[in-house]
Amino acid sequence: MKPADSIQQLLDSVKKTNHIILFYDSIKSKKNILYPFIAEGLENGKGSVYIGCEETKNEIREGLAKIGVDVEPNELSGNIILKNYDEWYIEKNRVDAYKITEHFKNAIKNFENKGLGTRVVGEVGVFFKMGKVKELLRYEYSLHKTISLPMEAICAYNLKTIVETNYTEVIMPLIRAHGKAIFVSENGNILIEPEGVEDTDIEKLLDIQI
């Protein structure tokens, strides 16, 4: 577990087929990672999928535009795909890991046809709010630490939601299902290699103002 010097250092840690988990303490902290991740991908020839649950599509569009992303033409051309959780993760109140994977495969194929790579951001707080944490764990472990699909992915977790729904015990299993873990807060950023993290480290990280 080590402090990250900058947001860019965190973004540089996400390489092709990496399955990264992001824990954040506020919407602002989340945006500081996810929006630049999408923007940098577009600048480097990668299409982007953003699956949201905390903000509307218009709020995400506005947030990306504020950091310089030309959202409308990229979305019209299919270089940016914005989806709500119920269009991708939990459809008709069901979580189907196979169907979710098919969504990713279709997006990757569409991007490849344009000569683009793939970046994915998925906000998953809704799984906690809807009591579908077991399904979430099955899905996360089905992806493994290194994704077999050619995409760079960040799974985004709101620490406040995890604490409020009393699911802090799943933090360690979630970290171990990913290649790397990033904790971002108003007080600083930390990059974690799962093999080197202990339960006591998680306790320290949770000792924040929620």
Side-chain angles (χ1 to χ4, degrees):
M1 182 170 69
K2 57 184 179 181
D5 295 329
S6 66
I7 297 298
Q8 189 59 49
Q9 180 184 348
L10 298 177
L11 295 179
D12 289 343
S13 72
V14 188
K15 303 303 181 184
K16 188 174 182 179
T17 73
N18 273 179
H19 185 200
I20 303 293
I21 189 167
L22 167 69
F23 294 99
Y24 56 92
D25 66 345
S26 69
I27 300 297
K28 180 181 178 181
S29 296
K30 176 192 73 176
K31 290 179 179 179
N32 286 342
I33 296 291
L34 298 188
Y35 288 178
F37 179 67
I38 295 295
E40 184 187 77
L42 291 167
E43 291 173 0
N44 289 282
K46 294 164 186 174
S48 296
V49 178
Y50 195 118
I51 308 143
C53 70
E54 291 183 320
E55 300 167 273
T56 66
K57 291 179 185 178
N58 280 338
E59 287 172 331
I60 295 169
R61 291 182 182 108
E62 290 170 4
L64 289 171
K66 284 180 180 178
I67 63 167
V69 175
D70 205 352
V71 179
E72 185 175 358
N74 274 297
E75 198 172 359
L76 287 173
S77 67
N79 291 351
I80 295 177
I81 298 173
L82 299 180
K83 294 290 183 180
N84 292 322
Y85 74 90
D86 56 358
E87 299 174 290
W88 199 280
Y89 284 143
I90 307 176
E91 300 180 68
K92 297 180 180 179
N93 205 40
R94 293 185 66 250
V95 179
D96 185 332
Y98 174 80
K99 193 171 183 180
I100 295 170
T101 301
E102 287 302 302
H103 287 321
F104 286 130
K105 287 180 178 178
N106 290 335
I108 290 166
K109 184 177 180 180
N110 289 334
F111 290 146
E112 286 179 343
N113 289 339
K114 298 170 177 287
L116 302 173
T118 302
R119 280 196 169 183
V120 173
V121 163
E123 297 178 6
V124 292
V126 67
F127 284 88
F128 295 89
K129 293 180 178 179
M130 295 180 68
K132 295 187 179 294
V133 176
K134 287 183 180 179
E135 292 90 337
L136 173 63
L137 286 167
R138 291 192 195 102
Y139 160 67
E140 289 282 35
Y141 272 86
S142 74
L143 289 179
H144 305 294
K145 293 183 178 182
T146 302
I147 303 173
S148 59
L149 301 173
M151 66 183 192
E152 301 162 2
I154 296 181
C155 299
Y157 287 77
N158 189 325
L159 276 173
K160 183 176 180 180
T161 298
I162 295 174
V163 171
E164 289 179 346
T165 54
N166 297 312
Y167 280 110
T168 55
E169 76 277 2
V170 305
I171 292 177
M172 184 62 80
L174 284 169
I175 289 175
R176 288 177 175 147
H178 294 76
K180 291 181 181 178
I182 297 170
F183 281 76
V184 295
S185 74
E186 302 292 339
N187 299 319
N189 311 312
I190 296 173
L191 179 64
I192 294 175
E193 300 286 349
E195 291 78 8
V197 69
E198 301 293 340
D199 290 338
T200 52
D201 294 323
I202 302 304
E203 292 172 6
K204 292 175 184 176
L205 290 167
L206 284 174
D207 188 23
I208 60 177
Q209 189 68 36
I210 297 292

